[in-house]
Each structure stands twice: as structure tokens, then as C-alpha cells.
Amino acid sequence: MGWLKDETGLDRNAANFVPLTPLSHLLRAARIMPERTAIVYGDRRYTYGELDARCSRLASALTGAGVSSGDVVATMLPNILAQAEAHWGVPATGAILNTINVRLDVGTIAYILDHGEAKVVLVDSQFLDVVEKALTKMDGPPPTLIEVADPAAGFPASGRHTEYEDFIAGGDPAFPWVMPEDEWESLALNYTSGTTGRPKGVVYSHRGAYLHTMGVAIAWGLTKDTRYLTIVPLFHCNNWCHTWTLPAVGGTIICCRDITAKAIYDAIADEGVTHFGGAPIVLGLLINAKPDDRREFDHIVEVYTAGAPPPAATLAGIEPLGFHVTQVYGLTETYGHITETFWKDAWNYLPDAERYAIKSRQGVGHADMAEVTVLDAESMEQAPWDGETVGEIMARGNVVMKGYLKNPDETAKAFKGGYFHSGDIAFQHPDGYIKITDRAKDVIISGGENVSSVEVEDVLMHHPAVMLCAVVAKPDEKWGEVPCAFVELREGANVTEDELIAHTRKELAGFKTPKRVIFTELPKTSTGKIQKFELRKMVAEL
Amino acid sequence: MGWLKDETGLDRNAANFVPLTPLSHLLRAARIMPERTAIVYGDRRYTYGELDARCSRLASALTGAGVSSGDVVATMLPNILAQAEAHWGVPATGAILNTINVRLDVGTIAYILDHGEAKVVLVDSQFLDVVEKALTKMDGPPPTLIEVADPAAGFPASGRHTEYEDFIAGGDPAFPWVMPEDEWESLALNYTSGTTGRPKGVVYSHRGAYLHTMGVAIAWGLTKDTRYLTIVPLFHCNNWCHTWTLPAVGGTIICCRDITAKAIYDAIADEGVTHFGGAPIVLGLLINAKPDDRREFDHIVEVYTAGAPPPAATLAGIEPLGFHVTQVYGLTETYGHITETFWKDAWNYLPDAERYAIKSRQGVGHADMAEVTVLDAESMEQAPWDGETVGEIMARGNVVMKGYLKNPDETAKAFKGGYFHSGDIAFQHPDGYIKITDRAKDVIISGGENVSSVEVEDVLMHHPAVMLCAVVAKPDEKWGEVPCAFVELREGANVTEDELIAHTRKELAGFKTPKRVIFTELPKTSTGKIQKFELRKMVAEL
């Protein structure tokens, strides 16, 4: 411990200790580069000076509406201007931002509003009906709704609530922000998309989010010339904290309401987008875009992809189009990504197949994390770096949630032994790079043998007819469980169940081959993740 | 304040809160990129795995020599390998690193060793005599000396002390590092070169240094391809914390023992140096290098310059050679730089003279600082951004020292009113960019009027015969003080005192023109700063 023998007068004070918060980035940007373009949504574009003024108006209006320190303000918004503004304007009142997934059902929304005790909800006109219904299902007092109309996108104001622009017009553009007095104060509340039971409310601190913004800027090489497209929803780990990051470097945020190939190509060509994050399925959109939706551009677009490893076929298809893909890995509990496939120079000279195999690894921890590794979940001992011994991905560092709101039991369980338990099963290559084999709950146990659903999916994805697939356990009298595959075929492709099973048999042990193949469109979350719990329901009905 | 109504179970724990320390960067680099080149010194080059092992050996050997948590370990070393290694190896024992300026005299070194209570000193063979003498002048118990020989540089071991390589050879390469339990623990102790009275011991925390490494990497755009040359001495604000930064991005540190034009050009051409920091005088060295010392290179080298604004003539000379210069500003008390001349795109289109004038501004605070601004030192009110009203540069943020060791009075004075007082006099342009007019103690008061020595120096520097100059106050019976100029001429140039005074008279009010011009070589610090206190002594003898 580095305490000098005499530390008299060396304490923290107002000059040498300021609580870390991502709010500081926008305040600084507004002060030092007010004329720089901060954010673009369609025809609207605001400088850092203007964005700061709008966020201040929002904070002021919320305060006027009775919001104060420690309150929760929720949003039900796509990636539009108001959603980005809420990321500064809400915490600038001392309140906690609770972004709600716009695809949720009435019952779950009502649960979240009750559990989080939101005082105000900013709602896009598109989702007004569902939120209004949710209010009627609540047990507690319903929050005030502020409607965010988006006429340009076909969603004019209903007239039933105060509209966002009217609301903030009454606010003070010079409203003094409430800054944290302790960097451990809460900044955001994000409910997991919990596949079983009620969603859990993940709480972020100002400190964690600030440190992640610095880590993201370094890992991704963000600069003032970065033009960042919001594809990852801002209700998903607050857009992996990227939106909070851009003002730190002076870059520009481009808002994207609907994630289509055309919207992405247009943003790249018209707004010069240089960076975006998204699930591999977004890359698929771009590869399979109709000719009319494509645009020419002459720069390289940096892509962080997460949620699933990018399949080799996807990498082979996307690289020649001008996209440079890096896989990152994380969870709602870790503010978005905490690992990256940090690239070694020697790998540039490998054949494509080997490069793609490396890119399918989740990689190593960012500089903002103390440790991301694979431990035996029982003994908490480090798994050997042998490329095969599996354990659970565990992490410790400042980019880990405070815990689950009003759920000390689940919080304690998640932090057992001094590490955050990810629930993801993985091994580490001899160089320490992490490779996920499965979610703990997705492992299939067939005749006492563990089957990695990811391994089976990888083999299926190499079949030319397969566009997307997912493998889950099917209860079996003899084996306990057997693998069952769900497959989306490429347009115009044709293959039979037997042919696909034969294809997997060439690569896999018999107990790992799927015993059934179902051809269907796969259910997905708003971030493009396949919903295996829906597939398990379908299996139960087979 | 963002505390949720119910924060049960949301406390800091081992999984979600890890004390910030720059030590973490090297540990991570050794884990995830052990094969990458970390550091180069002459013919010696070590990977991150090897550097980690050497630093661990050093920590282990120091521990074996009786060093423990809270002790101070000093160094008297140029920018060689051992000096960089001490930046990790010393704090890895829980001790505090005290790098001493190698140009100091015996008396001052004795004072620092007594005041800091160093237990061990690592000494380069070149400076062994002076340190041995200092030990005899100490009041307290003398530290153990470990001699760092550098035979390749002409400084073989004396044989009188344990040599560094032998010392660390006995250490354990797997020694477990002592990491801070509280990020406010002390990391480093840097004595100011105090021009009056005894030097003050500036104490850095692990937190401040970590946050500055993240801020530096972002501000300067450092990546794994960065190859950084150590020109700023590691005993000067720990090399502005740059050496601690490089492992965060996976770049390479190139050590430079003697700062000559040839050494710098060779490092650029042979080692591909992409970044370095240094005083404007270093740029002068490169511009005025002999043809034989120059080397060809085809990339742009990023330079952070500080200590004095880069003169227009220097910028005009250095840019065509392939160097891109950004001024930064800071003090020992601020871990190196806390501002940068953050560049606005519109400025790219300005005529050179205007661009250079902007580059002479100290600029705006980094993203790692909460506030760097100009306040009235009496009222602590913000000076208007009018390009003329002067005040004192004040700063608050996490990249500000803990305080001065065993000097609570000076610490309290430095932090009066909740800001760190820089002692630098400046105004802010209408865009908020800070421009220093003088050090508080360098202002000349002539007939009741303030004369900025910097302003007079700027005018002198525009005379083609002037290579370097400095203006100080000369006591005067009539006016109180008058400006007195000290000038170094360019090789072969010729000009008289009267001609130079006439030159300044064309640009400046009469009371601002120097009344005397003395042609002489200017006394400089090891970092290239002109020592005005030496000039004041010369003035007294005129």
C-alpha cells in the first residue's frame, strides 16, 4: 500500500478530486468546440453548443415537472434524437435514466415501470399505445408521459400528451446540471431481457460509465473525425456507452431510427459514417442488400460486432465491401463490451479461413477492465490456457454493474467469489484469447456428454444453403437431451433435413449431430440475438 | 445526487470496483500481448512479457533489500531502460517512486534524499560521484545505492556498488505485484525545480496517473502502432506519464539517453518513431541539425511541445521536415500536460502566420480534466473571454497532484478556493482558448504598467538573427523595472544591441522595449526551459 509515512495535507479536495461522470464530456465539448457538429438525425443537425442547450432544457423541464435527485426517468424510444438527449438531460437532473426496450410487451413494461418507479416516461408516438396500456396494468402510481412525435418517420403527435419539443421549449438552456457528488451514484437502469422469470434491473454508476467511455475511445481509436452511427439500440446497455463517448473525442453521432441496409448505406455515403456497432445479423443485412439499397463509399468502416461470433461466411462477404470487423463481447451487466479480439500483426498474413477463425474469438479484456478470464465455476480456479478446458467467463473491474435493483440475492449470486459471473461457457486458447462455447443454460447434455450448441451451429453455418441457425436441446427418453436445429435458408436455397444432418455428421461426433432440423424464420431480439427460449417452447410442442 | 431510493446490495465490491492504477496496463499487456515489443534501448529490446518479468524482478529484489509499502525509492537516471522499469518495478513493491533530476547539484540532491527519505537510489554510473557526495551531506540515514552501469554509452560500472543487472537477476520474475488497495495511495514523488527556496515534493496518486494515461491516449490518438520516443525526461513529471501510457495501447517505448538531433533522427528512421514530446528547443535542434545528422523518413511524426509556446519561425521550419506539432501545457503539479491546442478544422485553411499564432495558444483542457480556465486570482471570478483580460490559469480535476510532501501550508495555498493555482498569467480568446502572457513572477512592472516578457520575446524572435531569447526585469531608478533582453544569435548572424532595440520599437510601446540587450548563451534546464532566475542574477551584476 503506497501511503507515504507522512501524508499530512495530501487529502482529496475540490481541486484534485472530481467525481467521474460521462456528463463531463458533453459539458467540455460545449465549452471548447461549441461549433462542431455533435449529432445528426435526418434533416436535423445540432452542434455541441446546441446539443448542450437542448439537454439543459430537457433537464430543466424535467425538474420543473417534479423530477429530482434519485428519481427514475424512463424512455420508450428508438435511436432518435430525444433518446440520445435523454442520456445527458435525465442524469443532469440527478435522476437515473431507465431506457426500456421498445419491443417489450405490455405486461413486462408495466412490471418495469412499477419496479423502477419511473416518475416520467418519454415515449415515441409509435409506442404510445403499448405504454398507455401498460400504465393501466401497473400496481403503483403511473408516471407522467411525455410524447416524442416523429412526423418525418410517420409518427405524428397523438395530441393526448405534452409533446417533447413543447416540453423542452419551456426549459432553461442554461440550466445548471446536477453533477454527482460521489462517482458511485447511479446513472442508469437497464433491464435484462431475462429469458426466464422477471427481468432484472441492472444499475450503472457514473464512475463505471465514465471509465468505459475512456476505454472505448482507446480500444476503438475514436477521434474528432469519428462519425458514429447508432445501430445498437440506446436501450441496450445504453448503446454500449458509445453515445456518451463521442463528446469525449469531439466526434459526431448519427441517429438511426430503423435499422435497414438502405439506412446504413445511406448514412455511410451521405454522412461519412466511420464506426458502428451491431450484431452479426446487421452485417448479413448489408451483404444481402438489394442493389438499389447499396451505396458507393471509399473509406473503411470500423464495425464492432457482438451478441454472437461473426460467422466466417459473413466475414468473407463483408470485408470486400469496405467494412473492418472486430468482435467484442460483454453483457448488460458490463456496460456493453469488455473484451475485444485484439489483433496481432502476425495474423494479417494468415489465410482467410484462419483469420476468420480468430475473429470468431471473443478475445481479451479492454484496458478499462482489471480481468476478464475463464474460471472453473466451482473452484474459482483459472482454467488452463489449453484451447479446450471449459469454464465460465468471469470478470472484475470498474466496468461491471453496481448490481441488480432491489435484488440483493441475485446480486450476491452474480458477484460470488469476487468476480462477476457471466453465465457464458468458454475456453482460453494458449494465447489467453477467450472462445465462448455456450451460454451455461444453452449447453445440451446428451447421454451424459456436453454438447456445445455453438459448435453444432458453426458446422451448420458452413453449409451453403444455411443463412441462420440455432441449436437447442430437445428432451429425449433415451439420451436425456439431443440437439435440435432450427434453420433459416438463404433466398432460393433448397436442402432437406436429412442432407443437413448428413452434413453435420461429416464434421461432428454422432451424439453432437442434430436429431431434428426445423426450417423456420428464427425469433430474434431487437438487437438481433436469436431467442433460444422461444425455440425451446417450439421444441416442447414438437 | 443520483442515489436510487433503494440501493440495497449495490455497494462497491471486489468484482465491480478495482482501484485505478497505471500498473494495471503493463500487467494486462504482459497477459494479452506478451510477444509484442514493449521497449527498445539501443541494441536491447524487450517484449511485454520480458519487460513485465524484468520489472517483477526489480520489485522482488527491492523487496528483498528491505523496501516495503510506503517507502520511497529514488532514481538518478537518464531516459534509459532502468528508469522506465523503475516506473513499474518500484510501485509494484508498494513503494513510491522519486525520480530526481540528473542535473541537480550535490546540496539539492542531499536535501531531496533527506526530505523524501529515500531508502534506495538507483544511480547511473555517470551521476554516481555527485550522488555519493550528496550522501555525505545528508542529515538522515543514507539510502542504499544500486548502480546502473551503461557501458555502451561510455559509463561502465564503478565496482563500488551492486550493479542493477546483478541486483534484478536475483529477483523473482513472477513476483506478485503489490497493487493499491485505495487508488488515492501515492505513486510518485517529483520535486519541482523551484527557482526560489527549497524544491517542493509533488505527490501523485495512482488514480491521477491512471486517468491521465487514458486521457493522453485519447488526446494524442495513441494506438498499438505508436512508437514513442522518450525525450522529455522520465524525472520530469514522469515523462508527462507517457511511459505509463504506452502499455495501455500496446505501443513501443524507445529510450533516448542523450537528446541530440542525430539520436532523434536515427530513432525516427531506424525505429519508426511516431510520437514524442519535448520543449520547442528540441524542435530547434532538429531544424538546425547538421546535414550528416539528418535522416530521411516518410511518415509524419506527432510532437507534443510544452514549456514555452513554439515560435512561428520554429513551426515554419519544422513542419516541412515531417513533424506535426501540437502545443500542450501543464506543470509538475498536473502530471504533465492538462491542456492542448485542440485543432479546429476551419483553421486548416488559414495562412501560415495565423495558424502559427493559434498554435502558440495553450488551448483547452483535456477530457481527463474537469476545468482548466483563467480566473481573477483575488475574486476567483472567471475572466471574460475577450482576448485581453488577464488572470491566473486555474485548474481542477483528477489530474492534479495530491499536494506537496510535508508542506501542508504550500499545499493549502496552491489549492485555495477549490482550484489549483498555476502561477501562470493568461487571457482567454473569445473561443475560450488560453494564451499565457507570463509567469506571475516574470511580469515586468515598468512605470506602473505591466509588461509581458513573453510579448517582448515574441517580437525579438521574429528578428532573423535571433535564435533564442529571454526578457527579464532590470531594476531601474526611474521606472522601477525595465525590460532587459538576453539573446542567442543564429550561427553566422550579426546584429547590434541598437538594431534589436529599434526592431522591437517598431512593434511595441516604448515602455515595453528592452533597455538593454545582452548577447550570451542562455542557461537552460534539462528540459530546455530557459532559467530566468539565472538571468536575473546576471542582471543584478550588470
Side-chain angles (χ1 to χ4, degrees):
Chain A
M1 288 209 297
W3 297 116
L4 285 153
K5 290 189 176 59
D6 182 350
E7 293 248 345
T8 312
L10 301 182
D11 304 325
R12 296 169 178 80
N13 62 51
N16 66 20
F17 185 94
V18 175
L20 302 173
T21 167
L23 298 185
S24 63
H25 295 319
L26 180 55
L27 289 179
R28 169 177 172 267
R31 206 164 52 231
I32 74 171
M33 49 181 126
E35 77 292 346
R36 232 180 138 75
T37 303
I39 195 159
V40 176
Y41 177 50
D43 293 337
R44 303 167 72 181
R45 52 187 65 225
Y46 293 110
T47 65
Y48 274 109
E50 290 164 340
L51 178 61
D52 171 57
R54 287 178 58 87
C55 295
S56 300
R57 282 183 187 279
L58 171 58
S60 167
L62 287 169
T63 303
V67 170
S68 66
S69 285
D71 283 339
V72 169
V73 173
T75 66
M76 182 81 169
L77 299 169
N79 281 352
I80 59 175
L81 192 58
Q83 175 79 317
E85 289 169 351
H87 276 67
W88 296 283
V90 169
T93 67
I96 290 90
L97 175 67
N98 172 213
T99 54
I100 301 177
N101 186 329
V102 298
R103 299 215 187 165
L104 291 178
D105 57 286
V106 168
T108 307
I109 296 168
Y111 172 80
I112 289 174
L113 293 176
D114 268 328
H115 189 263
E117 301 176 55
K119 205 154 180 178
V120 173
V121 190
L122 308 180
V123 193
D124 190 274
S125 300
Q126 183 181 0
F127 307 106
L128 190 56
D129 284 352
V130 67
V131 173
E132 283 174 340
K133 273 184 210 134
L135 263 47
T136 68
K137 304 276 185 195
M138 285 180 66
D139 297 325
T144 305
L145 300 192
I146 304 294
E147 182 177 354
V148 184
D150 192 349
F155 301 102
S158 69
R160 299 195 294 274
H161 307 276
T162 303
E163 204 280 326
Y164 180 76
E165 290 296 335
D166 296 333
F167 183 64
I168 70 169
D172 176 5
F175 177 81
W177 291 20
V178 177
M179 301 295 272
E181 292 177 16
D182 182 324
E183 61 199 37
W184 198 250
E185 287 170 32
S186 297
L187 169 68
L189 174 62
N190 288 295
Y191 283 82
T192 58
S193 44
T195 48
T196 53
R198 287 301 199 177
K200 287 176 284 193
V202 172
V203 180
Y204 290 174
S205 71
H206 282 265
R207 172 186 168 96
Y210 174 90
L211 290 172
H212 195 40
T213 61
M214 302 300 269
V216 166
I218 290 173
W220 218 4
L222 304 185
T223 71
K224 68 189 168 80
D225 298 319
T226 297
R227 296 180 70 83
Y228 168 78
L229 186 66
T230 59
I231 291 182
V232 175
L234 273 79
F235 58 71
H236 184 72
C237 320
N238 300 107
N239 183 243
W240 303 347
C241 297
H242 293 178
T243 296
W244 278 319
T245 303
L246 269 288
V249 296
T252 302
I253 298 161
I254 319 289
C255 301
C256 189
R257 182 183 177 107
D258 296 305
I259 311 305
T260 64
K262 181 171 164 40
I264 298 172
Y265 275 115
D266 283 348
I268 295 170
D270 296 334
E271 294 293 344
V273 163
T274 58
H275 290 70
F276 68 80
I281 199 165
V282 173
L283 303 176
L285 271 184
L286 296 172
I287 294 169
N288 299 313
K290 286 180 285 186
D292 282 358
D293 291 347
R294 294 173 190 262
R295 295 283 298 277
E296 295 281 322
F297 58 98
D298 57 9
H299 60 284
I300 297 290
V301 179
E302 291 290 335
V303 181
Y304 264 176
T305 195
T314 302
L315 291 168
I318 199 78
E319 283 189 353
L321 299 177
F323 298 85
H324 178 253
V325 178
T326 303
Q327 188 184 173
V328 292
Y329 159 81
L331 305 91
T332 301
E333 286 87 343
T334 61
Y335 297 74
H337 44 84
I338 48 172
T339 76
E340 59 184 304
T341 314
F342 185 86
W343 199 249
K344 296 178 190 269
D345 297 341
W347 293 339
N348 287 325
Y349 309 102
L350 295 176
D352 283 351
E354 289 179 45
R355 276 200 308 112
Y356 297 156
I358 292 168
K359 289 200 169 201
S360 79
R361 299 177 190 165
Q362 283 66 37
V364 293
H366 287 316
D368 59 27
M369 282 295 290
E371 204 179 349
V372 187
T373 194
V374 175
L375 304 182
D376 182 282
E378 291 303 311
S379 67
M380 294 299 281
E381 273 174 26
Q382 173 66 49
W385 291 9
D386 60 5
E388 57 181 33
T389 307
V390 297
E392 185 173 350
I393 298 180
M394 306 262 188
R396 62 184 186 85
N398 296 298
V399 186
V400 170
M401 67 170 178
K402 292 174 66 165
Y404 300 114
L405 181 64
K406 302 180 198 167
N407 201 340
D409 291 347
E410 287 293 324
T411 301
K413 214 191 284 179
F415 290 145
K416 212 179 116 189
Y419 283 83
F420 168 67
H421 297 236
S422 72
D424 286 317
I425 304 302
F427 61 78
Q428 284 180 282
H429 284 276
D431 60 6
Y433 278 54
I434 292 170
K435 171 69 182 166
I436 290 184
T437 58
D438 234 329
R439 288 288 302 172
K441 62 180 181 302
D442 291 343
V443 172
I444 301 159
I445 301 173
S446 191
E449 299 276 3
N450 283 359
V451 178
S452 156
S453 62
V454 173
E455 185 183 6
V456 184
E457 288 158 9
D458 274 352
V459 172
L460 283 168
M461 285 300 287
H462 276 87
H463 192 284
V466 175
M467 165 104 134
L468 210 59
C469 72
V471 173
V472 298
K474 178 177 172 304
D476 184 272
E477 280 193 17
K478 182 168 177 194
W479 301 109
E481 294 179 348
V482 292
C484 174
F486 290 80
V487 168
E488 260 181 51
L489 292 180
R490 285 181 191 283
E491 216 172 296
N494 217 335
V495 69
T496 67
E497 178 172 12
D498 286 347
E499 282 164 358
L500 276 185
I501 292 175
H503 166 78
T504 60
R505 191 66 190 87
K506 279 188 283 185
E507 304 276 339
L508 296 172
F511 71 94
K512 293 183 177 178
T513 59
K515 302 301 168 285
R516 281 293 302 276
V517 177
I518 323 271
F519 298 99
T520 179
E521 193 185 335
L522 299 175
K524 301 174 198 79
T525 68
S526 54
T527 59
K529 267 193 181 177
I530 296 164
Q531 295 175 299
K532 287 200 170 174
F533 66 99
E534 293 286 354
L535 298 176
R536 289 194 193 94
K537 284 189 211 158
M538 291 167 71
V539 163
E541 290 158 14
L542 282 179
Chain B
M1 288 209 296
W3 297 117
L4 286 153
K5 291 189 177 59
D6 182 350
E7 293 247 346
T8 313
L10 302 181
D11 304 325
R12 296 168 178 82
N13 62 50
N16 65 20
F17 185 94
V18 175
L20 303 173
T21 167
L23 298 185
S24 63
H25 295 319
L26 179 55
L27 289 180
R28 169 177 172 267
R31 206 163 52 230
I32 75 171
M33 48 181 126
E35 77 292 345
R36 233 181 138 74
T37 303
I39 195 160
V40 176
Y41 178 50
D43 292 338
R44 303 167 72 181
R45 53 186 65 225
Y46 293 110
T47 64
Y48 274 110
E50 291 164 340
L51 178 62
D52 171 57
R54 286 179 58 86
C55 295
S56 299
R57 282 182 187 279
L58 171 58
S60 167
L62 286 169
T63 303
V67 169
S68 66
S69 285
D71 284 337
V72 169
V73 172
T75 66
M76 181 81 169
L77 299 169
N79 281 353
I80 59 175
L81 191 58
Q83 176 78 317
E85 289 169 351
H87 276 67
W88 295 284
V90 170
T93 67
I96 289 90
L97 175 67
N98 172 213
T99 54
I100 301 176
N101 186 330
V102 297
R103 298 214 189 166
L104 291 179
D105 58 285
V106 168
T108 308
I109 295 168
Y111 172 80
I112 289 173
L113 292 176
D114 267 328
H115 189 264
E117 302 176 55
K119 204 154 179 178
V120 172
V121 191
L122 307 180
V123 193
D124 189 274
S125 300
Q126 184 181 359
F127 307 107
L128 190 56
D129 284 352
V130 68
V131 173
E132 283 173 340
K133 274 184 209 134
L135 262 48
T136 67
K137 305 277 184 193
M138 286 180 65
D139 296 327
T144 304
L145 301 192
I146 303 295
E147 182 177 353
V148 184
D150 193 350
F155 301 102
S158 69
R160 297 195 295 273
H161 307 276
T162 304
E163 204 280 326
Y164 181 76
E165 290 296 334
D166 296 332
F167 183 63
I168 69 170
D172 175 6
F175 177 81
W177 291 20
V178 177
M179 302 295 272
E181 292 177 17
D182 182 323
E183 62 200 35
W184 197 251
E185 288 171 31
S186 297
L187 169 67
L189 173 62
N190 288 295
Y191 283 82
T192 58
S193 45
T195 50
T196 53
R198 286 302 199 176
K200 287 176 284 194
V202 172
V203 181
Y204 291 174
S205 71
H206 283 264
R207 172 184 168 97
Y210 174 91
L211 291 171
H212 195 39
T213 62
M214 302 300 269
V216 167
I218 290 172
W220 217 5
L222 305 185
T223 71
K224 68 188 168 82
D225 298 319
T226 297
R227 297 180 69 83
Y228 168 77
L229 185 65
T230 58
I231 291 181
V232 175
L234 273 79
F235 58 71
H236 185 71
C237 319
N238 300 107
N239 183 244
W240 304 345
C241 297
H242 292 178
T243 296
W244 278 319
T245 303
L246 269 288
V249 296
T252 303
I253 299 161
I254 319 289
C255 301
C256 190
R257 181 182 179 108
D258 295 306
I259 312 304
T260 63
K262 180 170 166 40
I264 298 171
Y265 275 115
D266 283 347
I268 295 170
D270 296 334
E271 294 292 344
V273 162
T274 57
H275 290 71
F276 69 80
I281 199 164
V282 172
L283 303 176
L285 272 185
L286 296 172
I287 295 170
N288 299 312
K290 286 180 285 186
D292 281 0
D293 291 346
R294 293 171 191 264
R295 296 284 298 277
E296 295 282 321
F297 58 97
D298 58 9
H299 61 283
I300 297 289
V301 179
E302 292 290 336
V303 181
Y304 264 176
T305 196
T314 301
L315 291 167
I318 200 78
E319 283 188 352
L321 298 177
F323 297 85
H324 179 254
V325 178
T326 302
Q327 188 184 174
V328 292
Y329 159 82
L331 305 93
T332 301
E333 287 86 343
T334 60
Y335 297 73
H337 45 84
I338 49 173
T339 77
E340 60 184 305
T341 314
F342 185 86
W343 200 249
K344 296 179 190 270
D345 297 341
W347 294 340
N348 287 324
Y349 309 101
L350 294 177
D352 283 351
E354 289 179 47
R355 278 201 305 113
Y356 298 156
I358 292 168
K359 290 200 168 202
S360 79
R361 299 178 191 164
Q362 282 67 37
V364 293
H366 286 317
D368 58 28
M369 282 295 290
E371 204 180 348
V372 186
T373 194
V374 175
L375 305 182
D376 182 281
E378 292 302 313
S379 68
M380 292 302 280
E381 273 174 26
Q382 174 66 48
W385 291 8
D386 59 6
E388 56 180 34
T389 307
V390 296
E392 185 174 350
I393 298 180
M394 306 263 189
R396 60 183 186 86
N398 295 298
V399 186
V400 170
M401 66 169 179
K402 293 173 66 165
Y404 299 115
L405 181 65
K406 301 179 197 168
N407 201 341
D409 291 348
E410 286 294 324
T411 301
K413 213 191 286 178
F415 291 143
K416 213 179 116 192
Y419 282 82
F420 168 66
H421 296 236
S422 71
D424 286 317
I425 304 303
F427 61 78
Q428 285 179 282
H429 283 277
D431 60 5
Y433 278 55
I434 292 170
K435 171 67 183 168
I436 290 184
T437 59
D438 234 329
R439 286 287 303 173
K441 63 181 178 302
D442 291 343
V443 172
I444 301 159
I445 303 172
S446 192
E449 299 277 2
N450 283 0
V451 178
S452 156
S453 61
V454 173
E455 186 183 6
V456 184
E457 288 158 9
D458 273 352
V459 172
L460 282 168
M461 284 301 286
H462 276 88
H463 191 284
V466 175
M467 163 106 134
L468 210 59
C469 71
V471 173
V472 298
K474 178 177 172 302
D476 184 273
E477 281 193 15
K478 183 168 177 194
W479 301 108
E481 295 179 345
V482 292
C484 174
F486 290 80
V487 168
E488 259 182 52
L489 292 181
R490 285 181 192 282
E491 218 172 295
N494 217 335
V495 68
T496 67
E497 179 171 10
D498 287 346
E499 282 166 358
L500 276 186
I501 292 175
H503 167 78
T504 60
R505 189 68 191 85
K506 279 187 282 184
E507 304 277 339
L508 296 171
F511 71 95
K512 292 183 178 178
T513 59
K515 302 300 169 284
R516 283 293 303 275
V517 176
I518 301 169
F519 298 99
T520 179
E521 192 185 334
L522 298 176
K524 301 173 198 80
T525 68
S526 54
T527 59
K529 267 194 181 175
I530 296 164
Q531 295 175 300
K532 286 200 171 175
F533 66 100
E534 293 287 354
L535 297 176
R536 287 193 194 94
K537 284 189 212 161
M538 290 165 71
V539 163
E541 290 159 14
L542 282 178

